[in-house]
Amino acid sequence: MAKFDEGMESMLDTYIFEENQLLEQLDEILMRTEKADSILPDDIAEIFRIMHTIKGSSSMMGLANMQKLSHAVEDLFSILRDKPDTPYDKQTLFNLVFDASDSLKNEIDVITDDSLELTDFTQQIARIRAYADVMKNADTVADEPLETESIFIDGESDEILALCVKYTESCLMPSVRAMILLRSLGNVCEVTRTIPADLDADNANDIIAKNGLYIKLICDDKDAVLNTAKNAMNVETAFWYENKSQPAPVAPKAEEKISIPQEQPQPEEKSQPAQTAPKKDSKSADKSSIISVKLSKLDALLDLVSEIVITESTVTSSPDLKGFEGRLEQFNTAARNLKKLTDELQDVVMSIRMVPVSTAFSKMSRVVRDMNQKLQKNVELKFVGEDTEVDKSVVDILNDPLMHLVRNAVDHGIEEPAERERKGKTEKPTVTLRAENVSGEVVITVEDNGAGMDHNKILEKAKRKGLLRKAENEYTKQEALSLIMRAGFSTNENVTEYSGRGVGMDVVKQNIEKVGGKLVVESDLGVGSRFVIKIPLSLSITDVMQVSVGATDLSIPIASVKEIFKLKPETLVRDTEGTELVMIRGRCYPVIRLSEYFAIEGETDNLEDGIMIFCEDDHMRACLFADKLIGEQQIVVKPFSPLLTQYNITESGLSGCSILADGSITLITDVKTIISNIFED
Amino acid sequence: MAFENSAENIRLLTFFVNGEQYCADISTVTDIIKIPPITFVPKLPDFIRGVINLRGKVVPVGDIAMRFGMEPEDYDDHSCVIVFSIRGTSAGLIVKRVGDVIDVTQQQIAPNVSQTSFISDIVTTEEGTFLKKINLSEIAEA
């Protein structure tokens, strides 16, 4: 069964995008206000508005559970908004809202995951409702008399007709449907007013559900209006409501008068809109200069621009020009200008995809806040350089590793308060997230001033677990620390809620390396630990070393190339099974002949004639043997077509391809896969 | 330049493999190009000859004769790559010769019930000859 209303699929992307944005905004307000003594009326109004919007759009999507949950939270804040002096327990209130925010966030993932059922929030809603009652009872005030409004006003023109629309009982939020209906009615008639007048009001739903919606309008084509209304979503009936002296049976006298939403002129409230008004203005001005674009469109644009850059160089360096005898002055000037412009174009397009890392960082405030609540460590999270801009895809990749590192830092890194006191550490327990641009790389550091790691203990444990690959005393401190990123290593024997749940540092490292990044661990015992993530600025562009094997052009990512050399015969060793080994600075590394591995006919079989590329990837080292070295190049990586990956091409050691300036195609090798394929055989 | 097929009429592209005439629904065909330089990609089945650069896109190309389990033909300047779209990406098939584009009606197409080969239907032309119809997407799938 579909999770949301039919005909709403097209809205799903927008819905999810908006919901995520709103919830992030909500978290931000909550984080900010939690530290303060009281919630300002502005913030209450903002939270109310966010919940109201979520409620509205969820019901438009037909997501009843999310609508009800956000409705409950909205009510909670409407109490505070209407009567700011209502006493409440801040912690309880915040926990309820944080929980609700989390549930809503989870639910957004559930919507898109077909394997999951929508969550039932009944209990959570009951808890919120219960607390709302507590708050209400603490300050009971008699219901204020509601103003009323009749359908036909004396002196109103006869041309104005009254259309009555009744919604089905299953309709969650008739007021939202009513707004959609009004919009579509705008095409066929002119709406003068509606009853209830304010469809956005809190009680609008109840009124419409009970009495129906009355639309006062002027039109030429009555049938068109009626048809539009009848065909609108969730509409049960729609008919012209005649002005009879006696009330029609559909609207008994008591209901003819319809209550109008509370615009109670409370003195405190009146001052509030005045305060918020200028703020909202500046916000809307901000918003109008920002548009959200689908990432796929930007990707398409980036692809296109890369092609233009390549085409530009194919045109200006066309072989046809070489034989041309005449003067090319004009052409050369134009070509230079073209090159300048295309370069600029590429820069601009790249910059469009750049977002500040703060989007990834700010999510961590929430993580630390929750852990502080549970662990009572009172850790402070500091940001440095959160304005640093990185490619959108980099930010997406950073989320998980950052979460993991921050959790580790708070859970394992920072000591218990008593422990800190005993050690005489007076400074506040702090986790610092730092971002900076260093020569084409983004460097993200997660640093804590906690206990630090004892590399001797790590070595001991790695030894116990059989993870050591050389003699214990040969490990440098740095190498020892790196051991924690090995699969099967977890320093904490006790699995806690926050760490040790099977996803270890090795996964963090893998995820970062998958995108061409590096993870380095530094630590001083007693002073703290530092995890440094280095990721290329843009993921689509990679530096490679181009080599040739026979007629095939292969590219090896520079990140995994350690050195390139010609083989000296005296350094070649053969073991008993005939495996060729090369001696490099007192160590032997296996030789992998790329021609043999890929079953390509190479130009030479003689190891001395070709070129040796000493590679290291994920602690696996080997010498790759190719015919010739072509050079170093920056390339735009293109993944293989799914028609090729169905033949397991990526598992065989080719990660993608790229089109070079001359239009030819180079294949990108995956050194790690090649080496592990050889070793496993 | 995809052609719309109506329910009744179907437009087919004909081509020759080892002297025999085959045809395929033209609606997914996007390009018919001279054989460009092909970059060999190792570790793939033999019939996949490699990848080509089609206006900045890397498109895998296969040899139709080898896909049928026959010997590859001698291709010349008049041989072509038929580029078609499948599952949102492109693929190419090398054929010795491309023939005419013909319009047939549903009645002229008889499905191949045996389903032991790539031939999905047999098309009877107006002249009364038989054409073997293949399904391009089936050729591209493993």
Side-chain angles (χ1 to χ4, degrees), chain B residues 4-11 104-107 109:
Chain B
E4 279 300 313
N5 282 326
S6 68
E8 268 298 291
N9 289 305
I10 291 165
R11 187 162 283 189
V104 296
T105 60
Q106 210 49 267
Q107 285 80 31
I109 302 176

Side-chain angles (χ1 to χ4, degrees), chain A residues 654-666:
Chain A
L654 291 173
S655 58
C657 50
S658 179
I659 296 179
L660 301 174
D662 61 358
S664 68
I665 299 171
T666 178

Side-chain angles (χ1 to χ4, degrees), chain A residues 486-498:
Chain A
R486 281 277 173 76
F489 190 98
S490 169
T491 44
N492 205 3
E493 256 96 48
N494 307 324
V495 172
T496 69
E497 186 190 345
Y498 292 114

Side-chain angles (χ1 to χ4, degrees), chain A residues 455-603:
Chain A
H455 65 273
N456 290 320
K457 271 194 186 163
I458 292 173
L459 267 179
E460 226 168 83
K461 189 173 172 196
K463 194 180 170 192
R464 256 196 332 227
K465 299 219 166 186
L467 293 172
L468 297 191
R469 292 205 181 148
K470 54 184 177 182
E472 205 179 326
N473 53 9
E474 278 182 34
Y475 275 89
T476 62
K477 185 183 168 194
Q478 184 57 48
E479 282 174 321
L481 287 173
S482 306
L483 285 171
I484 65 159
M485 297 185 287
R486 281 277 173 76
F489 190 98
S490 169
T491 44
N492 205 3
E493 256 96 48
N494 307 324
V495 172
T496 69
E497 186 190 345
Y498 292 114
S499 10
R501 279 188 292 192
V503 190
M505 285 295 295
D506 56 315
V507 179
V508 174
K509 186 169 187 251
Q510 265 176 31
N511 284 342
I512 291 169
E513 283 178 351
K514 218 181 276 170
V515 297
K518 284 216 158 88
L519 177 64
V520 183
V521 191
E522 293 162 21
S523 185
D524 287 316
L525 191 59
V527 182
S529 310
R530 191 163 43 245
F531 292 85
V532 185
I533 306 172
K534 290 182 187 171
I535 293 188
L537 261 186
S538 172
L539 297 180
S540 49
I541 293 181
T542 313
D543 285 301
V544 293
M545 193 61 76
Q546 252 182 285
V547 298
S548 71
V549 179
T552 306
D553 190 353
L554 294 171
S555 294
I556 304 166
I558 291 245
S560 43
V561 176
K562 281 185 87 80
E563 60 185 270
I564 296 174
F565 59 94
K566 278 255 176 204
L567 181 80
K568 291 195 195 86
E570 63 271 20
T571 58
L572 186 71
V573 192
R574 274 197 180 80
D575 74 3
T576 48
E577 280 150 52
T579 310
E580 292 159 317
L581 300 165
V582 180
M583 188 78 97
I584 301 168
R585 286 181 292 276
R587 288 181 185 284
C588 283
Y589 299 101
V591 175
I592 298 172
R593 290 170 184 251
L594 288 174
S595 56
E596 217 167 84
Y597 178 83
F598 284 120
I600 311 168
E601 200 149 312
E603 272 176 31

Side-chain angles (χ1 to χ4, degrees), chain A residues 307 552 554 597-600 638 640-644 646-647 649 652 654 657-659 663-667, chain B residues 39-45 47-48 51-53 55-58 60 67 86-87 89-91 140-142:
Chain A
E307 291 324 321
T552 306
L554 294 171
Y597 178 83
F598 284 120
I600 311 168
K638 285 172 190 267
F640 279 118
S641 152
L643 299 174
L644 294 182
Q646 67 185 346
Y647 296 106
I649 186 165
S652 68
L654 291 173
C657 50
S658 179
I659 296 179
S664 68
I665 299 171
T666 178
L667 304 171
Chain B
T39 306
F40 171 72
V41 181
K43 300 251 170 190
L44 286 175
F47 74 87
I48 297 177
V51 288
I52 58 166
N53 170 7
R55 293 187 301 273
K57 277 197 204 115
V58 179
R67 183 61 169 152
I86 163 179
R87 284 195 282 151
T89 68
S90 293
E141 297 287 355

Side-chain angles (χ1 to χ4, degrees), chain A residues 24-41:
Chain A
E24 251 167 53
Q25 226 176 324
L26 176 69
D27 268 6
E28 202 186 294
I29 298 173
L30 292 174
M31 298 297 302
R32 178 157 48 80
T33 50
E34 196 180 26
K35 284 177 197 145
D37 291 334
S38 66
I39 318 174
L40 297 170

